[in-house]
């Protein structure tokens, strides 16, 4: 009997939602609290038929779609206001930075691929792989369209609300991003750096260039903290060795901010025009970033003797 009543209640809810959608052209749905409450109820009933894991996968899939469409208000619905990243970005600042990224790179496609889910009652963590692809207009280094590619390994933290799972945090374990212009699109770059270092300590960044052929490659290696607004590092360019590699030792920041190892790369070739004033001409450029997570050493944390 209770099952029949429940089914009837569900059907009535769906019918009332349909009657609302018929009149949608005459009503501002987004600003109508009554309609929004109806939508949330139906969403809850739909979610009740899915496993907790499926619900979380739906959340991450919706996040991917709204990131690609740059729908900031819809995106916020999947995040709890207590949200924080391992870079120290809270809910408001995270979306502020996201808006800033979209202004500079408006043609990005996002994909979040869940790999493993772990539960602790009303809490969950999801190991994910993330992929970003896109294009960008020319830079100060090179005219023409550039190609953007990024890959990351992340952990999403979620908690169960009365209606849905909400994202409470993101921990970025590893991330590599590249922007290539001109002939650099045809080259492969591997930027190596440690996954994690202590603050105010030295570590080595190395760049390996695959198949440069007849190109002359110059590059600069540096590190910059992941803070906003970012400060541009002083670039000192060097010609890569005969093995097409370049290394540099850098020192992590004292404040314990996570940082990016950065390679700025210029591609040149010999100018075959004998009358040309310049013996080489620029044919491409690239930027490669590799995340380095930084931790603060707690000097007061000693074992009791």
């Amino acid at each position: 009997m209770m099952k029949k009543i429940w089914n009837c209640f569900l059907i009535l809810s769906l019918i009332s939602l349909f009657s609302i959608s018929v009149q949608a052209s005459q009503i501002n749905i987004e600003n109508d609290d009554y309609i929004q409450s109806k939508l949330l109820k139906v969403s809850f009933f739909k979610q009740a038929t899915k496993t907790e894991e499926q619900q979380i996968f739906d959340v991450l899939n919706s996040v991917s779609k709204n990131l690609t469409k740059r729908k900031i208000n819809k995106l916020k619905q999947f995040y709890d206001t207590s949200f924080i990243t391992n870079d120290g970005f809270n809910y408001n600042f995270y979306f502020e930075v996201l808006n800033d990224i979209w202004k500079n790179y408006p043609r990005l496609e996002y994909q979040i691929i869940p790999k493993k889910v772990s539960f602790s009652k009303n809490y969950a963590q999801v190991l994910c792989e993330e992929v970003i692809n896109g294009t960008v207009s020319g830079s100060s280094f090179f005219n023409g369209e550039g190609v953007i590619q990024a890959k990351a390994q992340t952990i999403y933290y979620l908690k169960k609300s009365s209606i849905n799972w909400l994202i409470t945090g993101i921990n970025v374990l590893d991330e590599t991003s590249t922007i290539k212009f001109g002939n650099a699109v045809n080259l492969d770059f591997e930027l190596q750096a440690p996954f994690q270092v202590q603050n105010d300590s030295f570590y080595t960044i190395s760049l390996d260039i695959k198949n440069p052929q007849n190109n002359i490659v110059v590059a600069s290696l540096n590190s910059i903290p992941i803070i906003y607004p970012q400060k541009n590092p002083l670039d000192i360019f060097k010609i890569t060795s005969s093995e097409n590699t370049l290394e540099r030792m850098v020192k992590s920041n004292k404040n314990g901010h996570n940082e990016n190892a950065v390679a700025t790369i210029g591609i040149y070739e010999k100018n075959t025009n004998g009358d040309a004033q310049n013996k080489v001409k620029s044919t491409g450029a690239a930027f490669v970033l590799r995340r380095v997570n930084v931790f603060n050493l707690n000097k007061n944390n000693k074992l009791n003797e």
Side-chain angles (χ1 to χ4, degrees), residues 47 55 60-61 85 91 100 103-104 112 114 126 152 157 172-173 179 187 221-223 259 266 290 296:
Q47 291 286 6
Q55 292 176 40
L60 295 177
N61 185 48
T85 73
Y91 177 89
D100 190 48
K103 288 178 183 177
N104 293 298
I112 302 173
V126 189
Y157 300 99
V172 184
L173 304 176
I179 307 176
L187 301 180
L221 299 180
N222 222 315
S223 64
E259 54 190 50
R290 181 74 185 263
N296 281 305

Side-chain angles (χ1 to χ4, degrees), residues 105-141:
Y105 307 102
R107 302 188 296 275
L108 298 177
E109 293 185 2
Y110 296 78
Q111 187 179 14
I112 302 173
I113 307 161
K115 291 296 181 181
K116 184 180 179 182
V117 185
S118 302
F119 291 96
S120 178
K121 201 172 181 180
N122 291 327
Y123 299 92
Q125 66 175 20
V126 189
L127 178 64
C128 298
E129 289 182 3
E130 297 193 49
V131 179
I132 301 174
N133 291 296
T135 57
V136 63
S137 301
S139 73
S140 58
F141 279 76

Side-chain angles (χ1 to χ4, degrees), residues 226-244:
I226 304 175
I227 56 176
Y228 286 86
Q230 288 190 328
K231 295 181 179 179
N232 293 326
L234 177 63
D235 288 317
I236 302 174
F237 288 90
K238 294 183 179 181
I239 297 177
T240 55
S241 68
S242 57
E243 290 81 20
N244 301 308

Side-chain angles (χ1 to χ4, degrees), residues 14-272:
L14 292 173
I15 290 171
S16 64
L17 178 65
F18 177 76
S19 66
I20 290 168
S21 64
V22 170
Q23 303 171 39
S25 60
Q26 302 173 4
I27 301 173
N28 187 345
I29 292 177
E30 291 187 358
N31 296 325
D32 193 299
D33 293 337
Y34 175 74
I35 295 175
Q36 285 297 317
S37 68
K38 288 287 186 182
L39 289 171
L40 288 173
K41 284 182 180 179
V42 173
S43 174
F44 173 76
F45 293 139
K46 287 181 178 179
Q47 291 286 6
T49 64
K50 296 183 178 182
T51 66
E52 303 287 1
E53 187 174 272
Q54 287 173 328
Q55 292 176 40
I56 289 174
F57 287 177
D58 285 348
V59 168
L60 295 177
N61 185 48
S62 295
V63 168
S64 295
K65 289 180 179 179
N66 285 293
L67 280 168
T68 299
K69 294 178 180 178
R70 303 193 305 280
K71 300 290 187 181
I72 198 79
N73 289 329
K74 288 186 177 180
L75 194 60
K76 287 180 177 180
Q77 296 175 7
F78 302 101
Y79 291 77
D80 190 76
T81 53
S82 66
F83 173 83
I84 192 79
T85 73
N86 64 319
D87 295 318
F89 296 176
N90 63 17
Y91 177 89
N92 290 325
F93 190 62
Y94 176 79
F95 288 107
E96 182 182 329
V97 170
L98 197 56
N99 260 326
D100 190 48
I101 291 171
W102 288 344
K103 288 178 183 177
N104 293 298
Y105 307 102
R107 302 188 296 275
L108 298 177
E109 293 185 2
Y110 296 78
Q111 187 179 14
I112 302 173
I113 307 161
K115 291 296 181 181
K116 184 180 179 182
V117 185
S118 302
F119 291 96
S120 178
K121 201 172 181 180
N122 291 327
Y123 299 92
Q125 66 175 20
V126 189
L127 178 64
C128 298
E129 289 182 3
E130 297 193 49
V131 179
I132 301 174
N133 291 296
T135 57
V136 63
S137 301
S139 73
S140 58
F141 279 76
F142 198 83
N143 294 324
E145 190 173 74
V147 176
I148 300 173
Q149 293 179 319
K151 292 184 178 180
Q153 188 178 45
T154 56
I155 296 177
Y156 277 74
Y157 300 99
L158 302 95
K159 72 175 182 180
K160 188 69 178 287
S161 71
S162 58
I163 293 174
N164 206 346
W165 287 89
L166 295 175
I167 299 169
T168 59
I170 300 176
N171 184 7
V172 184
L173 304 176
D174 185 27
E175 182 178 16
T176 301
S177 305
T178 62
I179 307 176
K180 298 179 181 179
F181 298 90
N183 286 354
V185 172
N186 303 316
L187 301 180
D188 292 326
F189 307 100
E190 288 187 9
L191 186 63
Q192 305 293 342
F195 295 104
Q196 178 175 275
V197 297
Q198 181 184 323
N199 68 310
D200 199 27
S201 64
F202 289 98
Y203 66 93
T204 301
I205 304 171
S206 62
L207 175 67
D208 188 13
I209 299 128
K210 306 291 184 182
N211 303 319
Q213 298 177 350
N214 297 322
N215 293 299
I216 300 169
V217 182
V218 299
S220 170
L221 299 180
N222 222 315
S223 64
I224 53 173
I226 304 175
I227 56 176
Y228 286 86
Q230 288 190 328
K231 295 181 179 179
N232 293 326
L234 177 63
D235 288 317
I236 302 174
F237 288 90
K238 294 183 179 181
I239 297 177
T240 55
S241 68
S242 57
E243 290 81 20
N244 301 308
T245 61
L246 187 66
E247 282 191 353
R248 183 184 177 189
M249 183 173 286
V250 297
K251 195 173 187 179
S252 61
N253 66 90
K254 294 181 179 180
N255 298 321
H257 296 298
N258 296 326
E259 54 190 50
N260 280 315
V262 182
T264 306
I265 303 161
I267 312 296
Y268 298 86
E269 65 180 26
K270 292 182 179 179
N271 201 331
T272 56

